Amino acid sequence: MKKPNIKKDIIENFGNRLRTRVNGILIQDNKLLMVKHRMHTNHSFWNVPGGGMKFGQDAKENLKREFLEETGLNIAVNDFLFVHEFLEPPLHAIELFFEVSQTSGKLVVGIDPELETNKQVIEEVKFLSIEDIKKIPSKKKHALFGRINSLNDVRIWKGYFNFGNKCIK
């Protein structure tokens, strides 16, 4: 069986177009829920749960759907926090970040329904402390999480940010 080309699949499914993404900040017991994605051979990328918006669904409904798909958790979407523009061609996304709270469900490693079963990219889903997050190399986490000194930082940021990231090589 031919080995999947994850980089090619990511670019074909998500690249060369502007995407609007929703992301959820879930903090429990002073830890942040994060998802580890396999980007291509020997490279992974940590970010909070979230994903692309579907036409006809508002941001909160999209975030609830994405959270459930990736983590198995049902959430309430709380305060809007900030927007981040991710621009590393061929990927370009406007990312909306919301604080969320868990309402039900059991934490699992979920799926990305936009990708075929043998091409799934979610490797791990877990709560990480600020110390755990700081240990992840910058190239292996969303640029936002290289700039926080406490988990409260993401709750108090307001406005527009463009930190960039070099995750697709």
Side-chain angles (χ1 to χ4, degrees):
M1 184 171 165
K2 187 177 177 185
K3 193 173 187 178
N5 183 336
I6 294 171
K7 178 182 174 183
K8 180 177 177 269
D9 292 335
I10 289 171
I11 292 169
E12 284 178 0
N13 282 285
F14 310 116
N16 298 309
R17 60 189 170 98
L18 177 62
R19 295 180 70 222
T20 303
R21 297 186 77 252
V22 286
N23 300 276
I25 302 287
L26 176 59
I27 299 173
Q28 291 181 357
D29 300 321
N30 211 28
K31 293 183 176 184
L32 175 64
L33 184 61
M34 296 194 76
V35 177
K36 182 179 180 184
H37 298 87
R38 184 170 24 108
M39 301 307 287
H40 53 81
T41 308
N42 298 323
H43 185 69
S44 58
F45 186 75
W46 287 90
N47 195 8
V48 294
M53 290 186 57
K54 288 186 177 178
F55 180 80
Q57 274 188 334
D58 68 26
K60 290 182 177 186
E61 290 306 310
N62 274 284
L63 184 52
K64 289 176 183 179
R65 174 185 43 77
E66 286 289 340
F67 227 90
L68 184 60
E69 290 171 356
E70 292 187 4
T71 71
L73 300 179
N74 291 297
I75 57 164
V77 180
N78 303 320
D79 293 338
F80 172 72
L81 299 172
F82 54 88
V83 65
H84 177 262
E85 183 173 13
F86 181 90
L87 180 54
E88 293 292 337
L91 301 179
H92 187 187
I94 301 298
E95 302 176 309
L96 308 173
F97 284 82
F98 293 85
E99 187 163 10
V100 303
S101 53
Q102 180 181 346
T103 58
S104 64
K106 181 180 176 187
L107 189 62
V108 298
V109 174
I111 62 162
D112 189 332
E114 296 168 314
L115 299 174
E116 296 175 30
T117 303
N118 67 332
K119 296 179 180 181
Q120 290 296 307
V121 296
I122 298 175
E123 293 184 321
E124 194 173 355
V125 178
K126 68 180 183 177
F127 284 92
L128 299 174
S129 67
I130 190 67
E131 293 79 18
D132 296 331
I133 295 168
K134 286 183 175 195
K135 289 177 187 173
I136 301 169
S138 294
K139 290 182 182 179
K140 294 189 175 207
K141 62 187 168 193
H142 190 290
L144 163 72
F145 301 105
R147 289 169 168 76
I148 61 173
N149 295 308
S150 78
L151 293 181
N152 197 48
D153 286 353
V154 294
R155 289 178 165 142
I156 60 175
W157 287 1
K158 301 293 180 218
Y160 164 86
F161 300 94
N162 181 341
F163 297 132
N165 239 77
K166 303 283 187 196
C167 69
I168 299 288
K169 299 275 185 214

